[in-house]
Amino acid sequence: MTTLLIQTENSPLTVNLPAIAPMTTAQFYEFCLANRDLRIERTASGDVIIMPPAFADTGNRNFNIAAQLWNWTEQDGTGIGFDSSAGFTLPNGATRSPDASWIKLERWQTLTEAQKASFAPICPDFVIELRSSSDTLTSLQDKMKEYIANGTVLGFLIDRKNQAVHLYRPQQKPTILHNPETVNGDPELPGFVLQMAKIW
C-alpha cells in the first residue's frame, strides 16, 4: 500500500491508497516529475510526504539562508551547496530535501552524472532546516536525527517560533542557542557564519 502524508498547517493528513503497492525509486521519481509544483519527500518506510509550497515570508528567509551558504561556499571552495529544491536519497532509503545543504566536493565527485541528475544517493555533510508554520518541532527534530544517522556531520534546525537554533552533530546531544545573532559552522565548516537578522 502507498500512503500519502499531506502536510497541513496543523497536522499531516493521511491518505491511504490500498490498491497501490509502495512506489519503487523509479516510480517515486516519475511521481515527482508529474507533480513538479509540489514539495515531495519520502520516508525510509516508503510513505510519501506532500508539503505545501512555502509561504512568501518563509521563501524569503530560505533565500537569505541559501545566499549566505553560497557566499561561504564560493570562498571556501571545498564543496558545493544546494537550495531547498534539491532532493537526496539517504542511505536508509528516504528521499529528503533540506532547506539548504552542502556536500564536500570529494564526495560529490564520486557520483555518476546520472546519479547527480536524479535524487542523488548521498547524504549532505551539512543541512539547514527552517521551521515553517506547517512544521511541527518534533517532526523536524526527527528529520535532523535522521540526517545525522545517515552521515550528516552538522545540522542547523532554525525554530523561528521560539527564536532558537538547534545544532546537531554525531554522537552528541543537540545544543540549543536562544536568539543568537549569529551561528557558526566551526569546525565542520570553517569560517561559515550564519547571520540571523534576516532569518528571524
Side-chain angles (χ1 to χ4, degrees), residues 178-196:
H178 296 281
N179 199 25
E181 292 183 8
T182 61
V183 182
N184 75 69
D186 291 329
E188 295 87 357
L189 277 68
F192 175 64
V193 178
L194 188 64
Q195 303 287 336
M196 300 300 297

Side-chain angles (χ1 to χ4, degrees), residues 23-25 28 41-47 88-96 119-123 146 150:
M23 292 182 193
T24 65
T25 299
F28 177 69
E41 292 184 332
R42 185 168 62 161
T43 68
S45 61
D47 291 342
F88 304 95
T89 303
L90 307 186
N92 69 352
T95 301
R96 298 295 186 183
F119 297 124
I122 191 169
C123 184
E146 181 180 51
N150 280 273

Side-chain angles (χ1 to χ4, degrees), residues 115-179:
Q115 289 173 323
K116 292 176 184 177
S118 65
F119 297 124
I122 191 169
C123 184
D125 295 285
F126 171 60
V127 299
I128 299 177
E129 289 285 359
L130 175 65
R131 184 182 180 189
S132 67
S133 58
S134 62
D135 294 321
T136 65
L137 183 57
T138 302
S139 68
L140 286 181
Q141 289 170 329
D142 289 344
K143 190 183 285 190
M144 297 302 287
K145 291 174 188 174
E146 181 180 51
Y147 288 132
I148 295 296
N150 280 273
T152 293
V153 296
L154 177 65
F156 294 175
L157 167 52
I158 302 171
D159 180 7
R160 287 180 51 225
K161 184 175 181 179
N162 296 304
Q163 297 278 293
V165 179
H166 302 237
L167 305 182
Y168 285 78
R169 290 181 168 93
Q171 301 173 344
Q172 296 182 31
K173 289 184 178 180
T175 302
I176 302 175
L177 307 177
H178 296 281
N179 199 25

Side-chain angles (χ1 to χ4, degrees), residues 4-8 13 31 35 38-42 47-52:
L4 303 181
L5 301 175
I6 302 173
Q7 193 73 31
T8 65
L13 173 65
F31 178 78
N35 296 280
L38 299 176
R39 295 166 57 220
I40 305 169
E41 292 184 332
R42 185 168 62 161
D47 291 342
V48 176
I49 303 169
I50 300 174
M51 298 165 286

